[in-house]
Structures are given as structure tokens and as C-alpha cells.
Amino acid sequence: MEKLLIKGGRKLTGKVEISGSKNAALPAITASLLVSGKSRLHRVPDLADVRTMGRLLERFGAGFHHKDGVLEVDTSGVKSFEAPYELVKTMRASVLALGPLVARWGQARVSLPGGCAIGARPIDIHITGLEKMGAKIALKDGYVVARAKRLKAARICFDIPTVTGTENLMMAASLARGATVLENAAREPEVVCLAELLNSMGAKVSGAGGSVVEIEGVDELKPPDYSIIPDRIESGTFMTAAAITGGDVVLKGVNVEHLDAVMLKLTESGVVFKAQAGGIRVIGPERLGANDFKTMPYPGFPTDMQAQCMALMSIAGGTSIIHETIFENRFMHVAELKRMGADISVQAGVATVRGVKALRGAEVMATDLRASASLVLAGLAAKGTTIVDRLYHLDRGYERMDEKLKALGASVERVR
Ligand code: EPZ
């Protein structure tokens, strides 16, 4: 088991290159299942989740070659349509294969994802949408078994603006007969990236980024050659790292338009942003101001930045209220932050964070991807040494984070 050993108290300074977005890359990879041929994607980050998706595509019979950020997927050999539990349980995003397999191959057997640390995270909305498009779906032995001759257009209104639900059904509808309308669709930049990728393949998707997305089905798509957007959550995480250490960091290759809500909150807490060619400079204040957060679907404050900002607020001057509305159990980092001296109490999805002068280094355990980022941030600011265990959580969604932090002057060491 790998751990990260962090000696806190250093201000981060210098430049950091933001990687391609994990949550845009994962659906982009399964979109290759909509065609038979060689898809090419650029700026694909080297992450555990991308490698897992690669194993899944190879299970289907596809070729998967990822080098220096360029990913080539050859789907001409696809002959199996089963996403097995042992892969899906390690990465829920595997369900993004469901829509493309049913749309292009007329069949899929995808394991139900099962539970997750941060919440139940069902996929009922994905399934209902596919049924509305004419798929015959049975839930058998923990698997979703789907069949369809050819999907047909439908008007689908989501109870919740589900991100991967919107992506799954957008992909399915791109090869359906007629024009599908998704209402109350997710508006995340990753959804827009997928829509643009699909359109570059010959699909006819309009309205992505808004709450109503229309997809005019076509008979055939062609393999893409497309570049993934930068990772807005990695960007927000490094902005928070500069803020929590009182540092001065330039983020290169970031798309600040995806970070309005995050940058507004950080600005209100005293962080200074200065636009720079091809990036943004982030200057952390001597003393952070407390602030309130409520996670919401995009363009609201992102749930994927909640844990990182809780670490930040734990040393701010004053009391902050953090309301998590997307997932029912996304406060696993609270207990670990308290072991570092944070003063946090949780009541029914709302955390009250009373800022303390300083955190103290401790041995802590990561429980999920963004909780691990939160603990790393806390370690960077804490007095003394922090050891973050179960580093595989961090490696799922951050490309070489320890090396990037080291290059910014942090004292971090990956140890076994
Ligand atoms: C995506 O997950 C992201 N993952 C998550 O990022 C992110 O936290 C989440 O969106 C919310 O922004 C990827 O894009 C691969 P949802 P997703 O469906 O699509 C409920 C990270 O850290 N729901 O938008 O699974 C669900 O339980 C990860 O990178 C249903 O009830 O999230 C949740 O409460 C973590 N039924 C809410 O909707 C459904 O059929 C939002 O979930 C689908 C979702």
C-alpha cells in the first residue's frame, strides 16, 4: 500500500500544468464503442480510472493504446458486450459503456455498480431512459441485461440532472431513429465536451450545456480525433493548494470559464487571481476568510470541490457552513481532518467548520478520491508531518499529483 509523506508549512510557488479531464475522458473513451474503427483522443490523463476503462474496452475486444496523452482505441475487433462486476465495482463510470453498446451493438450486459463510499449512486435514471428509447432491460444476477433492435427517439425528463446519465443517453440517442430530447439534463463542461466529440463524429447534438439537449439520431458515426478539455477539479484543487499554503502559483492550460463558482468562493475568502497568458496566477492570502458553501449541479459549486474547500476552511478565520446536497455521504474526510485538529461538526448533510489557527500533521486514511485530495491539502498546511494512506484513491483521479506538488516546492514523498 503506497502512502504520501508530507512535511507541512511550505508556501507553494511556481507553475503547474493542468492535465486533461478525467470526467471528460471516461465518456469520450466509451463513445469509441459507437463506431467500428480507430478513435484517437488527445490530452487523456494517465490515471488509474483511465487504465481501468482500458481493461474494460479490451474485455469487449477493443484495442487500447495510451502513450504521452494520446489514446488510440480500435473497436474493429469488438465482439463481447459484457462489463463484469470485478471491473465495474472498482469504477462506476464503467456504466458509460451501457448506452453505446445498446445503441451500436443492440446488446449489453453491464454489472450494476453497487455501492460507493460517498453514496448509493443508483443508475435508475440511465435505465429508465434507455427503456423509453425502446431497449428491453432486465436486472438479473446483479447485472443490467439490455437488448434493442434499434433505439428510437424519446422525450426524457430527468428527476435529477445526472452527469453520466445525460452522457449515457446522449451517446445512445446519437444512433437512435429520430430526435431525442433530454430535459433537466446535466450542464457540466464534461457533458459539453462529449457533445462536441459526438458532433465531430457526425452526430447531431444541440443544446449541450443547457438543461434541454436535443439529439437527432444518425445511421452511422465516424471515429473521432479529438482533444479532451482540461480537468476543472484538478485545477480547483491546485488553486486551493495555493490558497491553503499562502502560496503564489500559476496554473497552465486551465479553462477558467469552468471554474466561476469555485473562483468566486476563493476570492471571497481572500485569494487573488491574476489572468496570465495561457493560464491563471493564484495568490493565497496571509489569513483566509471563512465562507459558506452549498454544492449544486453545474454551474453551481461542484460537489467534487467540497472536501478540498473544507480543508481550506478548517484554518480560515471564522465559522464556515458547508452543505453537501448531491451525495448523501460525502463527509468521509471530516473524521480524518478532525484527527489533524480541525474543528468540524456534521448535522444532516451540513458541516459546521470552525477555523483553527493551524492543523497538526497526523497519520490519516483516504476513503475516496476527493477526500484524499482534501487530506493532502490539509497536510501541506499542517505543522509537522502527515502520512496519507490508501493513496490508490488519489491516483484514480490525479495525474502525478505528488510530482506536481514537489515541483511547486512542497515536501512530499511517495512511500510504500
Ligand atoms: C459524476 O458522477 C462524476 N463522475 C462525479 O465525479 C461527480 O461527483 C458527479 O457526477 C456529480 O457532479 C464522472 O463524471 C465519471 P450523478 P455521476 O449521476 O454521474 C443521483 C469524481 O470525484 N442519481 O450526476 O455518477 C446520484 O445518486 C466523481 O470525479 C440517481 O439517483 O453523478 C447522486 O446523488 C465522484 N439515479 C446524484 O444523482 C441515477 O440514475 C448526482 O449523481 C443517477 C444519479
Side-chain angles (χ1 to χ4, degrees):
M1 191 84 76
E2 289 193 313
K3 304 180 178 187
L4 208 55
L5 197 141
I6 306 166
K7 287 196 179 62
R10 301 201 182 180
K11 292 181 184 302
L12 299 192
T13 55
K15 287 186 176 49
V16 62
E17 188 70 41
I18 297 300
S19 301
S21 161
K22 165 177 89 80
N23 290 348
L26 295 174
I29 294 168
T30 56
S32 65
L33 294 166
L34 291 165
V35 298
S36 189
K38 266 205 178 110
S39 299
R40 181 174 299 133
L41 298 171
H42 303 265
R43 200 175 182 173
V44 176
D46 180 18
L47 303 170
D49 274 8
V50 169
R51 292 191 286 275
T52 303
M53 193 60 97
R55 282 199 294 281
L56 182 63
L57 268 290
E58 287 168 344
R59 269 297 174 94
F60 297 145
F64 191 88
H65 185 72
H66 187 199
K67 193 166 179 327
D68 303 333
V70 181
L71 172 63
E72 282 186 353
V73 185
D74 184 347
T75 50
S76 45
V78 168
K79 54 187 179 309
S80 152
F81 313 106
E82 171 158 333
Y85 177 59
E86 86 255 15
L87 279 177
V88 177
K89 76 179 179 200
T90 65
M91 185 186 64
R92 318 172 35 72
S94 310
V95 293
L96 283 165
L98 187 57
L101 288 176
V102 178
R104 171 80 178 65
W105 306 92
Q107 57 179 307
R109 185 169 186 270
V110 175
S111 166
L112 280 165
C116 162
I118 62 179
R121 300 180 74 183
I123 58 167
D124 51 309
I125 303 173
H126 301 232
I127 291 168
T128 312
L130 285 171
E131 284 176 326
K132 284 195 180 132
M133 295 175 73
K136 293 278 168 285
I137 297 201
L139 299 185
K140 229 160 131 301
D141 313 324
Y143 278 74
V144 177
V145 184
R147 289 265 178 291
K149 270 197 196 27
R150 182 174 182 190
L151 293 174
K152 61 186 191 322
R155 193 173 191 80
I156 300 165
C157 185
F158 293 144
D159 288 350
I160 299 171
T162 157
V163 175
T164 49
T166 303
E167 292 165 345
N168 232 337
L169 293 165
M170 213 158 78
M171 290 190 281
S174 60
L175 286 177
R177 186 183 309 108
T180 294
V181 176
L182 305 180
E183 292 185 347
N184 194 23
R187 298 174 53 194
E188 273 70 4
E190 294 76 29
V191 171
V192 176
C193 180
L194 178 63
E196 289 173 357
L197 167 72
L198 290 170
N199 287 342
S200 80
M201 297 165 70
K204 294 187 179 125
V205 183
S206 54
S211 297
V212 180
V213 180
E214 183 159 336
I215 306 103
E216 171 78 41
V218 295
D219 294 335
E220 198 175 359
L221 294 169
K222 60 185 188 341
D225 186 335
Y226 197 78
S227 188
I228 301 294
I229 56 171
D231 194 311
R232 63 189 167 99
I233 304 301
E234 183 195 24
S235 304
T237 304
F238 275 100
M239 288 176 175
T240 312
I244 205 169
T245 59
D248 184 341
V249 175
V250 175
L251 276 61
K252 304 295 283 177
V254 58
N255 182 337
V256 291
E257 282 152 38
H258 297 160
L259 285 145
D260 285 349
V262 172
M263 291 171 68
L264 172 66
K265 286 291 173 185
L266 293 178
T267 303
E268 288 171 349
S269 287
V271 176
V272 172
F273 291 100
K274 289 188 185 321
Q276 288 223 333
I280 186 118
R281 185 178 167 200
V282 188
I283 304 163
E286 278 315 305
R287 184 81 174 132
L288 285 154
N291 209 338
D292 296 339
F293 299 77
K294 181 175 182 181
T295 64
M296 293 295 280
Y298 194 89
F301 184 83
T303 175
D304 292 350
M305 279 299 300
Q306 178 257 106
Q308 297 92 312
C309 287
M310 185 181 289
L312 187 67
M313 290 298 107
S314 68
I315 57 168
T319 297
S320 305
I321 305 295
I322 300 180
H323 186 183
E324 171 58 58
T325 71
I326 306 292
F327 292 110
E328 63 270 29
N329 187 33
R330 201 170 198 173
F331 282 145
M332 313 278 276
H333 41 286
V334 169
E336 298 303 301
L337 289 171
K338 289 173 77 167
R339 298 187 56 248
M340 299 178 70
D343 179 354
I344 306 169
S345 56
V346 172
Q347 188 73 28
V350 179
T352 302
V353 183
R354 289 175 195 79
V356 295
K357 253 210 151 340
L359 297 175
R360 291 183 313 280
E363 283 195 61
V364 290
M365 190 177 75
T367 49
D368 57 271
L369 168 55
R370 305 305 172 180
S372 50
S374 162
L375 297 174
V376 170
L377 295 176
L380 292 172
K383 289 192 182 339
T385 301
T386 299
I387 301 177
V388 182
D389 199 355
R390 302 195 176 180
L391 215 46
Y392 59 87
H393 288 293
L394 190 78
D395 293 336
R396 293 190 51 177
Y398 290 96
E399 191 176 40
R400 299 181 293 104
M401 178 187 256
D402 45 332
E403 292 167 33
K404 292 186 179 184
L405 287 172
K406 210 181 284 186
L408 291 173
S411 165
V412 298
E413 213 57 53
R414 185 180 281 258
V415 294
R416 287 190 185 287

